[in-house]
Amino acid sequence: MGQRQSSVDCCIFCDKVSQNKEGQLLRKTEAIAVFSDHKPASSIHLLVIPVEHIKDITSLDSRHCDLVSEMFSEGMEELSKILDRPLKSVEGETLIGFHRPPLTSVDHLHLHIIYPKSEVRGLKNIKYIANSPYFLHPHQLNKKLSNLHK
């Protein structure tokens, strides 16, 4: 019987970070990587992932608050760089969030940063509803995580 691969061994996001084919990564730190979504919901659709394989938001606890904050800040900095505009001028027109299962499409934690939100149409409009129980802003997620051990 052949050996079964773990989800990390066949994770497309882990592969993207380790191989960085054709310079697909827009930004990378020791902890996170940023790249464009291959099925964008708008003109700019960034995905921000931890370099370490973490399945989804249900795998997080209060120790991950700094990681969530870094994912948010690095992703927003990249958006600001792409648009060549200050963050304050784009925040109101940007959808930002983590999907909660069962709405996750890849089993690797990822933050969506979508600009402009006015271009999100059809079924994608439902999938990216700001502040819904299934699409959490990083600030909402950190609040939930920090309350886990109180």
Side-chain angles (χ1 to χ4, degrees):
M1 209 183 268
Q3 218 174 1
R4 186 173 178 196
Q5 288 185 319
S6 73
S7 62
V8 177
D9 289 339
C10 56
C11 174
I12 60 171
F13 288 176
C14 288
D15 288 347
K16 188 176 288 273
V17 170
S18 68
Q19 297 171 11
N20 193 16
K21 290 181 182 171
E22 300 168 18
Q24 293 175 338
L25 299 182
L26 301 171
R27 177 180 291 240
K28 186 173 186 274
T29 69
E30 205 171 290
I32 66 100
V34 181
F35 51 90
S36 294
D37 193 306
H38 78 285
K39 290 184 181 177
S42 192
S43 297
I44 299 172
H45 187 157
L46 303 178
L47 296 178
V48 186
I49 66 166
V51 170
E52 173 191 357
H53 184 88
I54 299 173
K55 184 177 177 184
D56 57 42
I57 64 172
T58 64
S59 303
L60 301 175
D61 61 37
S62 60
R63 296 170 297 177
H64 294 100
C65 288
D66 288 343
L67 174 66
V68 169
S69 295
E70 182 179 354
M71 290 173 71
F72 173 65
S73 63
E74 290 290 336
M76 291 303 289
E77 285 293 325
E78 187 60 29
L79 177 63
S80 175
K81 179 182 159 192
I82 290 168
L83 295 172
D84 194 25
R85 291 176 49 197
L87 288 176
K88 291 283 184 203
S89 71
V90 299
E91 283 178 340
E93 188 54 28
T94 307
L95 286 171
I96 305 160
F98 293 92
H99 278 117
R100 177 181 296 187
L103 295 182
T104 52
S105 56
V106 176
D107 284 338
H108 189 122
L109 181 70
H110 54 284
L111 172 64
H112 295 267
I113 297 180
I114 303 168
Y115 179 89
K117 66 183 179 183
S118 59
E119 290 182 3
V120 180
R121 302 260 194 280
L123 290 177
K124 290 185 179 189
N125 208 10
I126 295 168
K127 190 174 180 184
Y128 300 108
I129 296 173
N131 302 317
S132 79
Y134 291 100
F135 193 66
L136 296 175
H137 190 281
H139 298 321
Q140 285 178 297
L141 179 56
N142 269 345
K143 187 174 180 181
K144 288 180 182 294
L145 294 176
S146 63
N147 289 331
L148 287 177
H149 292 290
K150 288 187 179 180

